[in-house]
Amino acid sequence: GNSVTQMEGPVTLSEEAFLTINCTYTATGYPSLFWYVQYPGEGLQLLLKATKADDKGSNKGFEATYRKETTSFHLEKGSVQVSDSAVYFCALSGANQAGTALIFGKGTTLSVSS
Amino acid sequence: SQTIHQWPATLVQPVGSPLSLECTVEGTSNPNLYWYRQAAGRGLQLLFYSVGIGQISSEVPQNLSASRPQDRQFILSSKKLLLSDSGFYLCAWSERNEQFFGPGTRLTVL
């Protein structure tokens, strides 16, 4: 079945460091791929998405490229800020019996210190 | 614009007590609705989804149930809570392969 695997955290970085959070997926067909962010005590917010191979999603300085050949959607940011501290979830969506329900990775906690 | 509400925001309940969490969506009609649970260190797990009034599908066997009495209302319930029901419950609706999440309810069962 479809699944998402994220690198385990926590990831601890200093401000202005480069961030990579790895995400790989297993899916039949051509899913859409997402990164969601969850700030402490809040629900999930969509960070970026890509709907087909080679698409690059970007938002707030974060980027991720849909790589079909490596079944990956790694999240990157060139210079992190303290305000980026949150839990990041990789997810996929495709036609399935649960409508457009997403399949999530387990989440990666990012902690950025000044 | 669409908004999604959940209440209560936090809840502390004793083992064996009943549960009712409510989710409502505004600004859209006939949305697909979802309940997820986020347990510590375990990511998000889809519990229920609904494609219309009275239509509920369960993804995993559990101590919980869901109902959709109105188009934009989705309720998560339990007759007797277990310790393992503790977690962060998120309601979501979807449009064009995107999902939009509510603020969540933090449930602690003691």
Side-chain angles (χ1 to χ4, degrees), chain A residues 3 5-6 9 16-17 20 28 37 40 69 72 82-83 85 89 91 94 100-101:
Chain A
S3 66
T5 302
Q6 281 181 245
E16 299 184 3
T20 299
T28 55
V37 58
E69 65 277 12
S72 66
V82 172
S83 57
S85 298
F89 291 92
T100 53

Side-chain angles (χ1 to χ4, degrees), chain A residues 32 34 36 38 42-44 46 49 89 93 97-102 104-106, chain B residues 32 34 36 38 41-44 46 49 59 88 90 94 97-99 101-103:
Chain A
S32 296
F34 306 84
Y36 280 82
Q38 183 180 33
E42 299 183 10
L44 274 68
L46 178 64
K49 68 174 182 178
F89 291 92
S93 172
Q97 63 182 6
T100 53
L102 298 180
F104 287 89
K106 291 187 176 181
Chain B
N32 287 350
Y34 308 84
Y36 291 87
Q38 184 179 18
R42 296 187 61 185
L44 275 83
L46 177 65
Y49 69 94
E59 286 293 293
F88 193 48
L90 290 159
S94 67
N97 255 12
E98 282 188 39
Q99 290 207 342
F101 287 83

Side-chain angles (χ1 to χ4, degrees), chain B residues 14-20 37 45 47-48 58 60-66 76-86 89 107 109:
Chain B
V15 169
S17 64
L19 173 73
S20 180
R37 177 170 58 204
Q45 180 184 38
L47 302 176
F48 300 96
S58 173
V60 294
Q62 58 203 305
N63 183 42
L64 303 168
S65 62
L76 184 69
S77 304
S78 174
K79 292 182 179 178
K80 288 186 177 182
L81 284 168
L82 306 172
L83 286 174
S84 57
D85 292 323
S86 294
Y89 289 83
L107 172 65
V109 182

Side-chain angles (χ1 to χ4, degrees), chain A residues 98, chain B residues 30-35 46 48-57 66-68 70-71 73-74 92 94:
Chain B
N30 197 31
N32 287 350
L33 296 173
Y34 308 84
W35 277 111
L46 177 65
F48 300 96
Y49 69 94
S50 171
V51 299
I53 296 174
Q55 301 179 61
I56 307 295
S57 296
S67 62
R68 186 168 177 177
Q70 301 179 39
D71 181 44
Q73 184 183 33
F74 203 24
S94 67

Side-chain angles (χ1 to χ4, degrees), chain A residues 66-80:
Chain A
Y66 189 159
R67 302 284 189 199
K68 191 170 185 298
E69 65 277 12
T70 55
T71 61
S72 66
F73 193 54
H74 304 323
L75 182 69
E76 297 182 336
K77 186 174 185 181
S79 177
V80 294

